Amino acid sequence: MKGYDATGGGGREAFLNYIGGQWIGARSGKTAASINPATGDVLGVVPASGPEDVEAAVQAAAGAYQSWRKVPAPRRAEILFRVAERLVGRKEELARLMTQEMGKILTEARGDVQEAIDMGYFIAGEGRRLHGYTAPSEMPNKAAYCRRAPLGVVGIITPWNFPMAIPSWKIFPALVCGNTVVFKPASYTPLLALKFVELFEEAGLPPGVLNIVTGVGSTVGDALVAHPSVRVVSFTGSTETGLRLAEACGRLGKRISLEMGGKNAAIVLPDADLSFATDALIWSAFGTSGQRCTACSRIIVHEAVRSELTQRLAARTRALRLGDGLLPETDVGPVVSDVQLERIHEYVEIGQKEGARLVTGGGRARGGALDKGSFYTPTIFDQVRPEMRIAREEIFGPVVVLMEARSLDEAVAIVNESSYGLSASIFTRDIGAAMRAIDDIDTGIVYVNHGTIGAEVHLPFGGTKQTGNGHREGGVQVLDVFSEWKAVYIDYSGRLQRAQIDRD
Ligand code: NAP
């Protein structure tokens, strides 16, 4: 095996798609490079696939489906368990590659791989549950129960910011339910995805059950979504792309699960421990260079502590050390690319034009090794009003805005003004205020005395409003995305019994 054949041009490793149990290049022979955003170095080349490669992968998945769905779920789960064990063994290697491929610092990259490990073990356990339930029938001598059934071929499309965790949230549950998969990873992080798929092959997954096709979204992703044999699409990425795919799936009558953007907020009340809140907010706002769907991008602070919190945050932010995430002294790595960096900077300019006050940051970080990569200085705005674009739109970079509120009610109202609804948090020692916030905040995840990031795999993950379309990843709830309910009635009366009609 292996996902690479030799060396690409210039001595770089050339990786391959995995289709029907074979490692194979794009039919067109085209390739694309994966680039380290901290150094500009090319890490490897991958197939720049086209619709014909998607066709081959979907056919392989469709061909493998009938036998895979008949493998008992506990046996399917044993293979997934072995994948999780292999992830444990290769955690450090994969984390280092992740830091190189998309920039997050090594500590966080280890966490990303750990999340995939957690998901593997969690879902492997579900292979022995996949519970349905029995129900009494309204007729005598008749049994009734319901059980889960797989759907067929699943198309999985993922972003680059959690290159191991997010694919694991989708691939493990899709497979344990008995589906087969065609996986299209983000163009910024194909190497991690290919390495992940290798582990399934090593763990003994039969050919065709999991296939990967690398290439750009508008070519590979569109072809995957449109393919008539793909029954379900599971997408994580921007709201713009997700809603477009949802339209296509709607026309085709397909199920689609969407995990999309966020504009996550933290409320800080006057009784909060500001020292610890500062730690948590810095971690939430600038971890992964702010490129988390759950990143804290709005801080809604009570007027009584606004000045003190702003000063604390600014001091801590200015002290953050930018650099290559492989270096132990680095606090914040690069953003994923110069394209992303320019988008972030445009928002900073918009914020200034809108009249927000730039407290710190606000430009490309330069000097020494930083000149080679895509580094943006962690940025804080204050005097931000809820109607400003920087308070409403997802920036997806190391930029956080401070807004003032005079009461808990006003703070909660500002949180809920967002068109997104992924994650929110509140810092307070007042249990009553915390409980009211939990009741009234309209997001899929609420934290108390914790930043907006840090979800655990065995709880449902997802958001309200334009963050999602009602599905959840994580928790047992994810099984609903990848299975269909089948109701079963067994009549052992030996005669015709008519539901709703024979009442005596
Ligand atoms: P994106 O541009 O929407 O891309 C996501 C995935 O969709 C990538 O694999 C992309 O491929 C693919 N894609 C793009 N256009 C497509 C098309 N026309 N048809 C099919 N697939 C297409 O998002 P991103 O920049 O990678 O990720 C950042 C976004 O993801 C942010 O909005 C963030 O909030 C969100 N996110 C949400 C969650 C959550 O759970 N709610 C978690 C993480 C991230 P290419 O890479 O080839 O363009």
Side-chain angles (χ1 to χ4, degrees):
M1 134 8 283
K2 293 305 180 203
Y4 43 90
D5 60 356
T7 56
R12 308 168 224 141
E13 272 188 305
F15 290 76
L16 301 170
N17 286 331
Y18 185 63
I19 297 177
Q22 302 294 318
W23 293 97
I24 180 171
R27 302 304 196 260
S28 66
K30 291 184 185 160
T31 57
S34 175
I35 293 167
N36 183 333
T39 62
D41 294 339
V42 174
L43 297 168
V45 292
V46 300
S49 311
E52 60 284 5
D53 304 299
V54 174
E55 178 63 38
V58 174
Q59 278 186 20
Y65 173 61
Q66 288 305 335
S67 52
W68 178 244
R69 77 180 182 84
K70 292 209 163 126
V71 174
R75 296 279 165 273
R76 297 197 291 255
E78 283 167 18
I79 297 174
L80 305 184
F81 189 90
R82 291 202 291 272
V83 175
E85 297 210 292
R86 281 177 156 69
L87 279 168
V88 172
R90 291 175 61 184
K91 180 172 170 180
E92 191 62 19
E93 172 211 333
L94 293 169
R96 293 185 79 79
L97 178 61
M98 189 180 304
T99 296
Q100 291 172 291
E101 197 171 32
M102 56 71 65
K104 70 172 69 171
I105 63 171
L106 196 49
T107 322
E108 293 181 52
R110 290 186 187 118
D112 194 319
V113 181
Q114 184 60 44
E115 202 165 322
I117 294 167
D118 295 345
M119 194 65 187
Y121 285 143
F122 170 59
I123 290 295
E126 289 309 304
R128 285 197 178 263
R129 283 183 285 266
L130 285 183
H131 294 308
Y133 61 90
T134 60
S137 165
E138 62 187 56
M139 308 276 177
N141 297 318
K142 188 174 166 192
Y145 70 98
C146 62
R147 48 165 290 193
R148 291 182 186 278
L151 288 126
V153 179
V154 174
I156 288 177
I157 301 176
T158 57
W160 45 266
N161 64 335
F162 278 85
M164 191 118 302
I166 292 178
S168 82
W169 294 353
K170 299 174 185 298
I171 293 173
F172 284 127
L175 295 181
V176 86
C177 287
N179 306 286
T180 55
V181 170
V182 178
F183 169 31
K184 182 245 161 313
S187 294
Y188 285 129
T189 51
L191 302 192
L192 247 302
L194 291 161
K195 295 268 180 196
F196 189 35
V197 168
E198 262 180 33
L199 302 182
F200 288 82
E201 185 192 41
E202 287 173 18
L205 194 73
V209 173
L210 172 61
N211 308 274
I212 180 168
V213 182
T214 58
V216 298
S218 52
T219 309
V220 173
D222 274 354
L224 185 57
V225 168
H227 199 291
S229 297
V230 172
R231 293 277 305 276
V232 189
V233 175
S234 175
F235 169 86
T236 299
S238 62
T239 298
E240 190 191 354
T241 307
L243 293 182
R244 207 170 330 119
L245 299 189
E247 270 181 47
C249 286
R251 279 194 301 276
L252 296 165
K254 292 186 185 188
R255 179 184 299 185
I256 181 165
S257 143
L258 298 170
E259 294 294 340
M260 305 185 287
K263 190 73 188 172
N264 311 291
I267 297 174
V268 183
L269 294 187
D271 66 340
D273 176 335
L274 291 189
S275 162
F276 143 69
T278 301
D279 287 346
L281 292 171
I282 293 286
W283 171 239
S284 293
F286 302 130
T288 316
S289 306
Q291 303 164 115
R292 288 179 178 235
C293 51
T294 50
C296 178
S297 57
R298 298 182 293 156
I299 297 171
I300 298 148
V301 56
H302 192 278
E303 58 184 352
V305 286
R306 182 188 62 78
S307 171
E308 188 184 345
L309 184 72
T310 308
Q311 283 170 31
R312 284 174 181 262
L313 288 169
R316 283 289 305 281
T317 302
R318 290 190 191 107
L320 292 171
R321 290 158 303 187
L322 271 70
D324 187 329
L326 289 179
L327 302 172
E329 64 271 21
T330 299
D331 297 312
V332 180
V335 297
V336 76
S337 68
D338 268 10
V339 173
Q340 184 69 8
L341 187 146
E342 276 154 28
R343 191 169 165 265
I344 294 163
H345 191 61
E346 270 171 36
Y347 270 108
V348 168
E349 289 177 336
I350 289 168
Q352 287 173 300
K353 281 195 201 118
E354 286 177 315
R357 188 176 78 95
L358 187 61
V359 177
T360 185
R364 186 177 195 127
R366 296 190 188 279
L370 299 183
D371 289 343
K372 288 194 284 177
S374 307
F375 292 92
Y376 201 83
T377 50
T379 300
I380 301 178
F381 278 108
D382 76 351
Q383 298 174 11
V384 174
R385 293 186 310 280
E387 67 276 13
M388 290 180 176
R389 284 182 65 191
I390 55 168
R392 294 197 332 262
E393 297 176 21
E394 186 181 44
I395 300 173
F396 217 58
V399 180
V400 65
V401 305
L402 279 153
M403 287 182 273
E404 186 176 292
R406 280 156 297 174
S407 65
L408 173 62
D409 286 344
E410 189 188 351
V412 169
I414 294 172
V415 173
N416 288 343
E417 256 177 64
S418 175
S419 57
Y420 298 108
L422 184 52
S423 154
S425 81
I426 179 164
F427 291 87
T428 179
R429 293 183 174 105
D430 176 346
I431 185 69
M435 295 303 286
R436 277 180 48 215
I438 293 167
D439 283 346
D440 294 340
I441 285 176
D442 184 7
T443 58
I445 307 166
V446 180
Y447 294 97
V448 177
N449 291 325
H450 191 288
T452 56
I453 64 178
E456 300 179 28
V457 300
H458 53 299
L459 276 86
F461 181 93
T464 61
K465 299 187 270 184
Q466 291 228 317
T467 292
N469 63 344
H471 295 288
R472 288 293 181 269
E473 303 205 309
V476 290
Q477 290 78 0
V478 69
L479 301 173
D480 288 334
V481 173
F482 297 112
S483 61
E484 199 114 61
W485 283 103
K486 184 178 280 186
V488 182
Y489 300 95
I490 305 169
D491 193 319
Y492 50 96
S493 65
R495 62 191 171 89
L496 172 65
Q497 296 202 92
R498 296 174 300 177
Q500 295 90 37
I501 293 169
D502 300 338
R503 299 200 35 93
D504 294 313

PDB file of all heavy atoms in Angstrom, residues 217-233:
ATOM      1  N   GLY A 217     -13.169  21.902  -4.311  1.00  0.00           N
ATOM      2  CA  GLY A 217     -14.580  21.730  -3.959  1.00  0.00           C
ATOM      3  C   GLY A 217     -15.518  21.873  -5.136  1.00  0.00           C
ATOM      4  O   GLY A 217     -16.430  21.069  -5.323  1.00  0.00           O
ATOM      5  N   SER A 218     -15.285  22.891  -5.963  1.00  0.00           N
ATOM      6  CA  SER A 218     -16.251  23.141  -7.035  1.00  0.00           C
ATOM      7  C   SER A 218     -16.227  22.028  -8.083  1.00  0.00           C
ATOM      8  O   SER A 218     -17.175  21.880  -8.839  1.00  0.00           O
ATOM      9  CB  SER A 218     -15.964  24.501  -7.694  1.00  0.00           C
ATOM     10  OG  SER A 218     -14.609  24.550  -8.052  1.00  0.00           O
ATOM     11  N   THR A 219     -15.179  21.211  -8.113  1.00  0.00           N
ATOM     12  CA  THR A 219     -15.124  20.099  -9.072  1.00  0.00           C
ATOM     13  C   THR A 219     -15.498  18.791  -8.380  1.00  0.00           C
ATOM     14  O   THR A 219     -16.490  18.147  -8.718  1.00  0.00           O
ATOM     15  CB  THR A 219     -13.685  19.976  -9.646  1.00  0.00           C
ATOM     16  OG1 THR A 219     -13.278  21.237 -10.098  1.00  0.00           O
ATOM     17  CG2 THR A 219     -13.629  18.969 -10.775  1.00  0.00           C
ATOM     18  N   VAL A 220     -14.688  18.418  -7.399  1.00  0.00           N
ATOM     19  CA  VAL A 220     -14.885  17.123  -6.735  1.00  0.00           C
ATOM     20  C   VAL A 220     -16.124  17.143  -5.841  1.00  0.00           C
ATOM     21  O   VAL A 220     -16.958  16.224  -5.879  1.00  0.00           O
ATOM     22  CB  VAL A 220     -13.625  16.772  -5.905  1.00  0.00           C
ATOM     23  CG1 VAL A 220     -13.852  15.528  -5.077  1.00  0.00           C
ATOM     24  CG2 VAL A 220     -12.438  16.580  -6.820  1.00  0.00           C
ATOM     25  N   GLY A 221     -16.242  18.223  -5.060  1.00  0.00           N
ATOM     26  CA  GLY A 221     -17.368  18.298  -4.123  1.00  0.00           C
ATOM     27  C   GLY A 221     -18.698  18.341  -4.852  1.00  0.00           C
ATOM     28  O   GLY A 221     -19.643  17.621  -4.516  1.00  0.00           O
ATOM     29  N   ASP A 222     -18.782  19.182  -5.877  1.00  0.00           N
ATOM     30  CA  ASP A 222     -20.037  19.294  -6.625  1.00  0.00           C
ATOM     31  C   ASP A 222     -20.411  17.961  -7.265  1.00  0.00           C
ATOM     32  O   ASP A 222     -21.580  17.558  -7.254  1.00  0.00           O
ATOM     33  CB  ASP A 222     -19.916  20.374  -7.717  1.00  0.00           C
ATOM     34  CG  ASP A 222     -20.238  21.758  -7.180  1.00  0.00           C
ATOM     35  OD1 ASP A 222     -20.663  21.854  -6.012  1.00  0.00           O
ATOM     36  OD2 ASP A 222     -20.055  22.733  -7.923  1.00  0.00           O
ATOM     37  N   ALA A 223     -19.414  17.282  -7.852  1.00  0.00           N
ATOM     38  CA  ALA A 223     -19.705  15.999  -8.521  1.00  0.00           C
ATOM     39  C   ALA A 223     -20.182  14.966  -7.504  1.00  0.00           C
ATOM     40  O   ALA A 223     -21.078  14.157  -7.777  1.00  0.00           O
ATOM     41  CB  ALA A 223     -18.451  15.493  -9.237  1.00  0.00           C
ATOM     42  N   LEU A 224     -19.609  15.024  -6.322  1.00  0.00           N
ATOM     43  CA  LEU A 224     -19.992  14.070  -5.269  1.00  0.00           C
ATOM     44  C   LEU A 224     -21.435  14.315  -4.818  1.00  0.00           C
ATOM     45  O   LEU A 224     -22.242  13.384  -4.718  1.00  0.00           O
ATOM     46  CB  LEU A 224     -19.018  14.239  -4.095  1.00  0.00           C
ATOM     47  CG  LEU A 224     -19.126  13.287  -2.922  1.00  0.00           C
ATOM     48  CD1 LEU A 224     -18.987  11.833  -3.360  1.00  0.00           C
ATOM     49  CD2 LEU A 224     -18.045  13.618  -1.872  1.00  0.00           C
ATOM     50  N   VAL A 225     -21.740  15.575  -4.583  1.00  0.00           N
ATOM     51  CA  VAL A 225     -23.088  15.914  -4.113  1.00  0.00           C
ATOM     52  C   VAL A 225     -24.129  15.547  -5.170  1.00  0.00           C
ATOM     53  O   VAL A 225     -25.215  15.053  -4.863  1.00  0.00           O
ATOM     54  CB  VAL A 225     -23.139  17.426  -3.768  1.00  0.00           C
ATOM     55  CG1 VAL A 225     -24.564  17.899  -3.550  1.00  0.00           C
ATOM     56  CG2 VAL A 225     -22.284  17.697  -2.531  1.00  0.00           C
ATOM     57  N   ALA A 226     -23.782  15.777  -6.435  1.00  0.00           N
ATOM     58  CA  ALA A 226     -24.761  15.563  -7.517  1.00  0.00           C
ATOM     59  C   ALA A 226     -24.909  14.089  -7.894  1.00  0.00           C
ATOM     60  O   ALA A 226     -25.878  13.722  -8.567  1.00  0.00           O
ATOM     61  CB  ALA A 226     -24.316  16.353  -8.745  1.00  0.00           C
ATOM     62  N   HIS A 227     -23.985  13.238  -7.468  1.00  0.00           N
ATOM     63  CA  HIS A 227     -24.020  11.845  -7.951  1.00  0.00           C
ATOM     64  C   HIS A 227     -25.287  11.131  -7.467  1.00  0.00           C
ATOM     65  O   HIS A 227     -25.583  11.113  -6.271  1.00  0.00           O
ATOM     66  CB  HIS A 227     -22.783  11.092  -7.472  1.00  0.00           C
ATOM     67  CG  HIS A 227     -22.536   9.860  -8.276  1.00  0.00           C
ATOM     68  ND1 HIS A 227     -23.367   8.754  -8.229  1.00  0.00           N
ATOM     69  CD2 HIS A 227     -21.583   9.557  -9.181  1.00  0.00           C
ATOM     70  CE1 HIS A 227     -22.928   7.834  -9.059  1.00  0.00           C
ATOM     71  NE2 HIS A 227     -21.840   8.298  -9.651  1.00  0.00           N
ATOM     72  N   PRO A 228     -26.019  10.496  -8.391  1.00  0.00           N
ATOM     73  CA  PRO A 228     -27.289   9.876  -7.982  1.00  0.00           C
ATOM     74  C   PRO A 228     -27.134   8.746  -6.965  1.00  0.00           C
ATOM     75  O   PRO A 228     -28.078   8.458  -6.215  1.00  0.00           O
ATOM     76  CB  PRO A 228     -27.875   9.337  -9.300  1.00  0.00           C
ATOM     77  CG  PRO A 228     -26.838   9.528 -10.339  1.00  0.00           C
ATOM     78  CD  PRO A 228     -25.799  10.463  -9.838  1.00  0.00           C
ATOM     79  N   SER A 229     -25.961   8.116  -6.908  1.00  0.00           N
ATOM     80  CA  SER A 229     -25.807   7.011  -5.946  1.00  0.00           C
ATOM     81  C   SER A 229     -25.431   7.475  -4.546  1.00  0.00           C
ATOM     82  O   SER A 229     -25.342   6.663  -3.625  1.00  0.00           O
ATOM     83  CB  SER A 229     -24.727   6.031  -6.437  1.00  0.00           C
ATOM     84  OG  SER A 229     -25.138   5.455  -7.643  1.00  0.00           O
ATOM     85  N   VAL A 230     -25.164   8.769  -4.379  1.00  0.00           N
ATOM     86  CA  VAL A 230     -24.834   9.275  -3.034  1.00  0.00           C
ATOM     87  C   VAL A 230     -26.145   9.620  -2.331  1.00  0.00           C
ATOM     88  O   VAL A 230     -26.882  10.494  -2.769  1.00  0.00           O
ATOM     89  CB  VAL A 230     -23.896  10.499  -3.134  1.00  0.00           C
ATOM     90  CG1 VAL A 230     -23.691  11.151  -1.778  1.00  0.00           C
ATOM     91  CG2 VAL A 230     -22.557  10.075  -3.727  1.00  0.00           C
ATOM     92  N   ARG A 231     -26.412   8.939  -1.233  1.00  0.00           N
ATOM     93  CA  ARG A 231     -27.710   9.110  -0.556  1.00  0.00           C
ATOM     94  C   ARG A 231     -27.697  10.212   0.497  1.00  0.00           C
ATOM     95  O   ARG A 231     -28.735  10.812   0.792  1.00  0.00           O
ATOM     96  CB  ARG A 231     -28.106   7.798   0.136  1.00  0.00           C
ATOM     97  CG  ARG A 231     -28.410   6.640  -0.797  1.00  0.00           C
ATOM     98  CD  ARG A 231     -29.849   6.688  -1.316  1.00  0.00           C
ATOM     99  NE  ARG A 231     -30.856   6.756  -0.271  1.00  0.00           N
ATOM    100  CZ  ARG A 231     -31.352   5.714   0.387  1.00  0.00           C
ATOM    101  NH1 ARG A 231     -30.928   4.494   0.107  1.00  0.00           N
ATOM    102  NH2 ARG A 231     -32.266   5.866   1.317  1.00  0.00           N
ATOM    103  N   VAL A 232     -26.545  10.398   1.108  1.00  0.00           N
ATOM    104  CA  VAL A 232     -26.433  11.383   2.191  1.00  0.00           C
ATOM    105  C   VAL A 232     -25.160  12.186   1.982  1.00  0.00           C
ATOM    106  O   VAL A 232     -24.142  11.618   1.595  1.00  0.00           O
ATOM    107  CB  VAL A 232     -26.272  10.702   3.575  1.00  0.00           C
ATOM    108  CG1 VAL A 232     -26.372  11.726   4.699  1.00  0.00           C
ATOM    109  CG2 VAL A 232     -27.223   9.588   3.759  1.00  0.00           C
ATOM    110  N   VAL A 233     -25.241  13.477   2.285  1.00  0.00           N
ATOM    111  CA  VAL A 233     -24.040  14.310   2.267  1.00  0.00           C
ATOM    112  C   VAL A 233     -23.847  14.861   3.673  1.00  0.00           C
ATOM    113  O   VAL A 233     -24.795  15.341   4.297  1.00  0.00           O
ATOM    114  CB  VAL A 233     -24.185  15.469   1.257  1.00  0.00           C
ATOM    115  CG1 VAL A 233     -22.983  16.401   1.331  1.00  0.00           C
ATOM    116  CG2 VAL A 233     -24.359  14.925  -0.168  1.00  0.00           C
TER     117      VAL A 233
END
